[in-house]
Amino acid sequence: QSALTQPPSASGSPGQSVTISCTGTSSDIGAYKFVSWCQHHPGKAPKLMIYEVNKRPSGVPDRFSGSKSGNTASLTVSGLQAEDEADYYCSSYIGGNNYVFGTGTKLTVL
Amino acid sequence: QVQLVQSGAEVKTPGASVKVSCKTSGYTFTSYYIHWVRQAPGQGLEWMGIINPSDGDTSYTQKFQGRLTVTSDTSTSTVYMDLSSLRSEDTAVYYCTLAGFDYWGQGTLVNVSS
């Protein structure tokens, strides 16, 4: 199982919106609703931001939203803030109790 | 509150094995699967495997088949990740994480060096 494909980098100015894509196949993202997004600041444990495509855990700002179309999932961060600068990883269930992560996207707040 | 506390950093020589523990608390241990995920230096997150603590059933990504063993101890609410035949490419921070990736351990650095 290959990693899901994400752009290596994304950027935006404070207050702007940015969307990060996560492309898989009909065997992973296209097949299941179990797509998650994690935020990872270097040296810290990852933090779940979105689960089941578009659900936010308690405490995650509503500036973060998720969606899916076909084999591609997306994370949108609206009203960018300096603390949003981090690495973002998508993940998808692929069946048989197996999962796969995306290649990761470094989000820079300009 | 839910907590996953991992064992400390390890230094291993190539060919050796490492066993990392993940002690959980704050929830019913047998109710949720636990994943193991790693991040090598300069690389992304990599999903390694999963265990159902209620029955010990495991699933591993093909890359680690034969080298990875994940076990659980219901008496101590602890999950263990055992990786054998270590090579330099296994140098990474290893994380345990609960079911939906909503709770994570603090990470354990495993350094494989001769």
Side-chain angles (χ1 to χ4, degrees), chain A residues 57-78:
Chain A
S58 173
V60 172
D62 60 7
R63 302 185 293 103
F64 291 84
S65 62
S67 63
K68 185 182 89 162
S69 177
N71 300 334
T72 298
S74 298
L75 172 73
T76 297
V77 186
S78 306

Side-chain angles (χ1 to χ4, degrees), chain A residues 54-99:
Chain A
N54 56 13
K55 298 178 181 178
R56 273 189 314 276
S58 173
V60 172
D62 60 7
R63 302 185 293 103
F64 291 84
S65 62
S67 63
K68 185 182 89 162
S69 177
N71 300 334
T72 298
S74 298
L75 172 73
T76 297
V77 186
S78 306
L80 270 174
Q81 298 182 6
E83 60 261 35
D84 299 334
E85 185 162 296
D87 297 321
Y88 290 83
Y89 294 90
C90 59
S91 66
S92 175
Y93 181 64
I94 61 173
N97 267 339
N98 282 7
Y99 292 75

Side-chain angles (χ1 to χ4, degrees), chain B residues 14-87:
Chain B
S17 296
V18 68
K19 192 168 188 174
V20 178
S21 67
C22 172
K23 183 168 177 59
T24 73
S25 61
Y27 71 98
T28 302
F29 180 65
T30 52
S31 293
Y32 299 97
Y33 287 61
I34 287 184
H35 309 258
W36 285 92
V37 175
R38 78 177 188 179
Q39 183 177 39
Q43 303 298 310
L45 298 178
E46 180 176 29
W47 188 84
M48 299 176 68
I50 193 170
I51 186 166
N52 179 355
S54 69
D55 61 8
D57 186 41
T58 55
S59 183
Y60 309 131
T61 192
Q62 190 167 4
K63 175 177 178 177
F64 297 106
Q65 293 280 358
R67 288 207 301 140
L68 176 64
T69 304
V70 177
T71 56
S72 62
D73 182 346
T74 56
S75 68
T76 60
S77 300
T78 302
V79 172
Y80 299 90
M81 187 281 299
D82 196 318
L83 189 62
S84 63
S85 303
L86 289 169
R87 34 218 191 219

Side-chain angles (χ1 to χ4, degrees), chain A residues 7-105:
Chain A
S9 62
S11 62
S13 300
Q16 288 187 330
S17 293
V18 63
T19 297
I20 299 171
S21 62
C22 171
T23 302
T25 69
S26 57
S27 298
D28 39 63
I29 291 177
Y32 304 100
K33 67 174 185 177
F34 299 108
V35 176
S36 301
W37 288 90
C38 289
Q39 177 190 68
H40 192 198
H41 288 105
K44 299 181 70 175
K47 177 184 177 182
L48 180 68
M49 306 304 282
I50 296 288
Y51 67 101
E52 291 182 16
V53 177
N54 56 13
K55 298 178 181 178
R56 273 189 314 276
S58 173
V60 172
D62 60 7
R63 302 185 293 103
F64 291 84
S65 62
S67 63
K68 185 182 89 162
S69 177
N71 300 334
T72 298
S74 298
L75 172 73
T76 297
V77 186
S78 306
L80 270 174
Q81 298 182 6
E83 60 261 35
D84 299 334
E85 185 162 296
D87 297 321
Y88 290 83
Y89 294 90
C90 59
S91 66
S92 175
Y93 181 64
I94 61 173
N97 267 339
N98 282 7
Y99 292 75
V100 66
F101 278 97
T103 50
T105 298

